[in-house]
Amino acid sequence: MEERKLGEIVTGLYKTGKYIGEITDIRSMHYLVKVKAVLKHPQQGDLHNPKQADVPLFHERRALAYNEQTNIPLKMVKPYAGHVPDYKESLKSAVNTLKDELEQMDTPWASQSLVNLASLEADYFSTK
C-alpha cells in the first residue's frame, strides 16, 4: 500500500459515506482527513442491521461537515486527482443521488430512510 502525504487531497470511506478531503495527520492505523466535499451520503438506519427498518433505533446519519476532521483507516484512503467540488453542492448532489436510489425501492427501510433524509435536508439547506 502506497503511503499518502500530509496535505494530499484524497477520497476516504467513513462508515457508509465517501468524502474528498485533505490529509492533516498520519497515524499508525489512520489518516486524519479534513472533509472538503461529499461523494456519497451515508446510509440511514442501523449499521449493524443494514437495510432493516425493524430495529431498536433507526439512526439518522448525517454527512460529515465541511472541514470536519475524521480518522479514516489507511486502506480506505485513495488519492484524488480531480477538481474538488463546492462542499454544499457536493452534499446536495449526494443527497439527491441517495434519494433517487431509495425512491426506486419499495421497502420499509427505504421509506424510513427517505423520512430521515427529508429531515436532514431541511437542516443542511435551511437559510438560517
Side-chain angles (χ1 to χ4, degrees), residues 5-60:
K5 297 174 182 61
L6 284 177
E8 186 174 351
I9 302 299
V10 295
T11 62
L13 298 173
Y14 181 75
K15 296 192 177 174
T16 61
K18 186 173 183 180
Y19 303 90
I20 299 171
E22 175 187 353
I23 295 175
T24 59
D25 196 13
I26 300 170
R27 299 175 176 172
S28 61
M29 304 199 47
H30 298 88
Y31 291 110
L32 185 63
V33 176
K34 185 188 292 188
V35 173
K36 297 298 179 185
V38 181
L39 291 174
K40 181 179 182 287
H41 193 281
Q43 288 188 354
Q44 302 302 294
D46 184 344
L47 295 181
H48 301 289
N49 296 288
K51 298 192 177 179
Q52 299 298 311
D54 188 19
V55 293
L57 179 60
F58 195 94
H59 296 272
E60 180 181 271

Side-chain angles (χ1 to χ4, degrees), residues 43-45 51-53 58 102 105 107-114:
Q43 288 188 354
Q44 302 302 294
K51 298 192 177 179
Q52 299 298 311
F58 195 94
L102 292 167
M105 299 176 194
T107 66
W109 172 79
S111 297
Q112 183 60 48
S113 293
L114 286 166

Side-chain angles (χ1 to χ4, degrees), residues 47-122:
L47 295 181
H48 301 289
N49 296 288
K51 298 192 177 179
Q52 299 298 311
D54 188 19
V55 293
L57 179 60
F58 195 94
H59 296 272
E60 180 181 271
R61 302 209 174 273
R62 298 181 65 81
L64 296 174
Y66 181 69
N67 282 340
E68 182 174 351
Q69 298 202 65
T70 191
N71 286 304
I72 301 179
L74 300 175
K75 67 182 181 183
M76 304 303 254
V77 173
K78 306 289 183 219
Y80 181 77
H83 167 74
V84 178
D86 173 75
Y87 176 83
K88 204 80 152 182
E89 291 303 314
S90 71
L91 177 60
K92 188 174 295 248
S93 177
V95 167
N96 287 337
T97 297
L98 181 55
K99 278 178 27 183
D100 290 346
E101 291 170 6
L102 292 167
E103 287 167 352
Q104 301 303 310
M105 299 176 194
D106 185 21
T107 66
W109 172 79
S111 297
Q112 183 60 48
S113 293
L114 286 166
V115 169
N116 281 17
L117 278 179
S119 172
L120 287 169
E121 274 187 299

